[in-house]
Amino acid sequence: MREGQLVLYVSPRASWCYGRVLGVDGGEVLIEPQQGDEGIVRAKAELVHCVMNAEQVDEAPDDLLDMTELHEGLLLQAVKRRYLKEVAYTDIGRISLAVNPFNFNIPWYSDAELPKYFHPDPSLLPHVWKTGRDAYISLLDTRQSQTILVSGDSGAGKTEAVKLVLKFLGAISAHKAPATDLSRTLHSKITASSPVLETFGNAKTVRNDNSSRFGKFLQVQFNAAGQICGAVTTSYLLEQSRVTTCGFQERLFHCYYQLLTSKEACKLFSLEPPDKYPILEKTAITSPRIDDAADFAATNQALRTIGMTEAQRWSIWAVIAGILHMSRVVFFDKEGSAAVVPETGKYLKLAAYAWG
């Protein structure tokens, strides 16, 4: 490893960073950082990678398999360069790697671009739409079930990725096969299921404002003509503790906060402001990036779209209201049995009223 050699080294502050070798001291390499760190860095030799040529520094292909060298540091730097240009997706062969841009207004990912992905086109940027197209075409060609696996860390964008794939499957199936009233209705219901699942199964965490607190397996069914004819969602491992508890600066499931923004619901169920409820008072009641009132309206519209009557819709919100009232009921030991503190007995009655 010669002096002046361009290298990548593992930085405790920023993962793999570029630097130039100043010298070698035993088993350590002295490095002048080119990004991230300041001053002279000492790194273990096994955590330093020599860059073969300067051109590698600027590599950021659509498919990482096209890079000159496949090394963890070089791959991460390439993805970072693309991300800084608001290119959120990168291919790794048939795998689509997404880095959450936290931005819904990137022009080349707008809905107007979606139809362009109906047919293979090497000039198009990588996208989960391409993954959806490949799965759909393989389904029609092989007449065999296809699987799309969406995985990642909290906040990576899994929930949004699934919604994008569903939207694309609905669009391409309507494009490939004549849409019927039934297929259009089914697609609308499948799409509407997402905000419902998010309201009652997602929550704000320290890393993500809309974190899914459960896993799900979604089956989308197609008929012989390639039209959507049904869907089944199976949920796994719901974080049941979040019904009443969560971490500092986090929130319980979205449904509580949405319900309490509705004047109609508060009047119907005798609800009070969020800070009156023990299970909510220490949570992040408001969040600058969450509009609970708008989300409440969207959830109700989604419930209508999937076919619920007004009575059914309010019966669901009644369950949430009852939980809120029950959180204010205080119990004490009375001769070996549990008894309700008289002053909180009214909340028990309100819960009973809500639950019918």
Side-chain angles (χ1 to χ4, degrees):
M1 199 173 293
R2 68 181 188 278
E3 185 177 342
Q5 170 77 51
L6 181 64
V7 297
L8 280 163
Y9 67 95
V10 177
S11 165
R13 294 176 54 191
S15 186
W16 289 92
C17 292
Y18 284 109
R20 291 198 178 274
V21 175
L22 295 176
V24 178
D25 182 10
E28 294 185 323
V29 182
L30 302 181
I31 300 172
E32 179 184 14
Q34 303 291 299
Q35 61 180 157
D37 296 318
E38 297 178 356
I40 305 302
V41 174
R42 301 177 71 93
K44 293 182 179 180
E46 60 267 26
L47 299 180
V48 179
H49 177 77
C50 293
V51 178
M52 292 191 298
N53 57 68
E55 287 75 18
Q56 289 180 268
V57 175
D58 298 319
E59 284 189 329
D62 285 346
D63 191 331
L64 295 182
L65 296 184
D66 293 332
M67 292 186 66
T68 304
E69 181 183 5
L70 298 180
H71 178 270
E72 179 184 351
L74 292 167
L75 296 175
L76 289 173
Q77 286 287 341
V79 172
K80 179 181 179 180
R81 279 191 290 278
R82 294 173 63 83
Y83 181 77
L84 293 176
K85 296 178 181 178
E86 293 192 312
V87 180
Y89 299 99
T90 305
D91 287 338
I92 309 176
R94 295 192 67 182
I95 298 171
S96 180
L97 172 66
V99 183
N100 194 341
F102 297 98
N103 180 1
F104 290 100
N105 299 309
I106 300 175
W108 40 92
Y109 298 141
S110 67
D111 288 347
E113 299 295 305
L114 187 150
K116 296 179 181 179
Y117 286 80
F118 288 163
H119 306 284
D121 183 347
S123 68
L124 292 174
L125 288 170
H127 202 292
V128 291
W129 292 334
K130 185 190 296 185
T131 305
R133 182 199 65 220
D134 291 346
Y136 181 77
I137 297 303
S138 294
L139 175 74
L140 297 183
D141 289 347
T142 66
R143 299 292 167 172
Q144 294 181 338
S145 297
Q146 305 294 312
T147 299
I148 298 175
L149 175 64
V150 181
S151 66
D153 204 353
S154 178
K158 299 184 295 297
T159 298
E160 294 303 319
V162 170
K163 289 192 286 189
L164 288 169
V165 170
L166 286 177
K167 178 183 287 187
F168 182 84
L169 290 176
I172 194 173
S173 64
H175 173 75
K176 293 289 185 179
T180 64
D181 290 342
L182 177 60
S183 64
R184 281 190 287 265
T185 299
L186 283 171
H187 181 238
S188 296
K189 290 184 176 182
I190 293 169
T191 303
S193 69
S194 291
V196 174
L197 291 172
E198 290 176 30
T199 292
F200 299 99
N202 286 25
K204 171 183 165 56
T205 65
V206 292
R207 300 180 62 183
N208 183 1
D209 283 347
N210 190 33
S211 177
S212 298
R213 311 314 299 164
F214 66 102
K216 67 179 177 183
F217 177 63
L218 173 62
Q219 291 178 295
V220 181
Q221 300 156 345
F222 297 84
N223 61 21
Q227 299 166 333
I228 291 178
C229 62
V232 178
T233 298
T234 305
S235 60
Y236 300 92
L237 303 173
L238 178 68
E239 187 185 15
Q240 298 180 23
S241 61
R242 201 169 283 265
V243 172
T244 57
T245 60
C246 65
F248 178 69
Q249 288 303 305
E250 295 190 341
R251 306 215 309 179
L252 305 185
F253 295 117
H254 294 320
C255 53
Y256 295 109
Y257 310 92
Q258 291 183 19
L259 179 63
L260 292 173
T261 64
S262 169
K263 293 181 180 179
E264 182 182 5
C266 289
K267 182 178 180 180
L268 179 62
F269 299 119
S270 302
L271 295 170
E272 298 183 50
D275 58 4
K276 298 293 184 181
Y277 299 96
I279 60 174
L280 300 183
E281 61 179 353
K282 294 183 180 179
T283 70
I285 292 175
T286 60
S287 177
R289 293 181 296 273
I290 298 176
D291 187 337
D292 291 308
D295 290 343
F296 180 74
T299 300
N300 280 300
Q301 182 55 49
L303 290 170
R304 295 185 187 99
T305 300
I306 64 177
M308 286 195 173
T309 64
E310 292 300 287
Q312 291 172 325
R313 183 169 60 82
W314 282 114
S315 69
I316 292 174
W317 292 115
V319 174
I320 307 304
I323 295 172
L324 289 171
H325 287 309
M326 282 299 298
S327 73
R328 302 181 76 179
V329 179
V330 179
F331 296 88
F332 71 99
D333 182 276
K334 183 179 181 181
E335 299 177 356
S337 300
V340 175
V341 173
E343 292 79 6
T344 65
K346 59 183 179 181
Y347 304 123
L348 188 60
K349 293 179 180 179
L350 288 172
Y353 170 77
W355 291 341

